[in-house]
Amino acid sequence: MSSAAVAPLHRAVRFYAAPIGKKAVMAITGVILFGYVVGHLLGNLQIYAADHDQINRYAAFLHDPGRATLLWGVRALLLLSVVAHITASVQLWVLKREARPIGYVKKDDVPAAYAARTMLWSGPIIAAFIIFHILHLTAGSVLPLQEIAPNQPDVRANVISGFQHPAVALFYIVAMLLLCLHLYHGVWSMFQSMGVSHPRYTTGLKRFAAICAIAIAAGNISIPIAVMTGLLSN
Ligand code: HEM
């Protein structure tokens, strides 16, 4: 390989070796995962459509064999983003510990400091939730999946029958609350990594992060609650 071809690779490796490189990877993968969570929520909310087949038609559209390359491309991008996000976060945590072995408490912003501290354990619990969630609603290993036709899941029926189990519904609700804290801190950190953290904008950016995080959690949590209260049923 020519030295001209190696140079950009070398620069990328050196950029990643510095904390700012890892923060950039966290911000970019965070934006990709955030975009997925927003798109997924919009898809999930179709469960409230008066036409009960709406969400199943949407799922069939996503799983259309003609779009298999796109579907697997998106899945691969998501998996890569999750792995890179977790790897960079662990490496940053190690660097931070090495630089400042004794932690300090900043008392000026209690909600932000609380959300920052929760990142350490909210991240792994959300990762565990995603594995459980895929086993539950994609693989059908937790509860048997109902189908409309061969290889065409009855998404509406599967979501509703899943949340009729209080333990499943409760786990989803707890995971969504943690996701809310994680997104709040994550969105705010992303602005800081991008250098958009001028004191003049701090309140506005934090409010924006909080609104996004709460809206996403509330939208998702509404589904198990609607099932448990009987508002949504098969
Ligand atoms: C109440 C909340 C949620 C509901 C009702 C829900 C519903 C679903 C359903 C029905 C599927 C299977 C889709 C299909 O086979 O067509 C699915 C897949 C998935 N969901 Fe969720 N979801 C929720 C929250 C979340 C959250 C918060 C995340 C991420 C943090 C997430 C990540 C995923 C992933 C990664 C898949 C696999 C996608 C694939 O197979 O390509 N979900 N979800």
Side-chain angles (χ1 to χ4, degrees), residues 36-37 40 44 59 63 75 129-130 133-134 137-138 155 159 163 172 176 179 220 223-224:
Y36 176 77
V37 169
H40 191 43
N44 289 342
H63 290 274
R75 283 174 168 172
F129 160 76
I130 295 173
H133 180 53
I134 291 176
L137 287 170
T138 304
V155 170
V159 168
F163 292 149
Y172 269 75
M176 295 308 124
L179 181 67
N220 277 326
I223 301 173

Side-chain angles (χ1 to χ4, degrees), residues 84-126:
H85 197 76
I86 294 173
T87 308
S89 73
V90 172
Q91 290 175 331
L92 273 173
W93 179 74
V94 170
L95 283 178
K96 223 183 219 172
R97 262 186 82 93
E98 282 169 0
R100 178 169 47 79
I102 303 164
Y104 60 85
V105 182
K106 235 168 128 186
K107 292 208 174 77
D108 59 340
D109 189 344
V110 175
Y114 182 72
R117 274 200 305 277
T118 60
M119 295 307 264
L120 270 182
W121 48 270
S122 64
I125 297 175
I126 293 166

Side-chain angles (χ1 to χ4, degrees), residues 20 36 41 51 64 69 73 78 89 95 114 123 126-127 130 145 156 179 184 186 197-198 206 214 231-232:
I20 185 67
Y36 176 77
L41 169 65
D51 174 1
D64 187 313
T69 316
L78 285 176
S89 73
L95 283 178
Y114 182 72
I126 293 166
I130 295 173
L145 291 183
R156 189 175 192 278
L179 181 67
Y184 169 59
S197 60
H198 189 281
K206 279 191 178 168
I214 292 170
L231 203 74
L232 269 178

Side-chain angles (χ1 to χ4, degrees), residues 151-180:
N151 292 323
Q152 220 181 300
D154 188 341
V155 170
R156 189 175 192 278
N158 293 329
V159 168
I160 293 175
S161 56
F163 292 149
Q164 279 165 346
H165 295 266
V168 174
L170 198 70
F171 180 45
Y172 269 75
I173 292 171
V174 171
M176 295 308 124
L177 290 173
L178 291 178
L179 181 67
C180 179

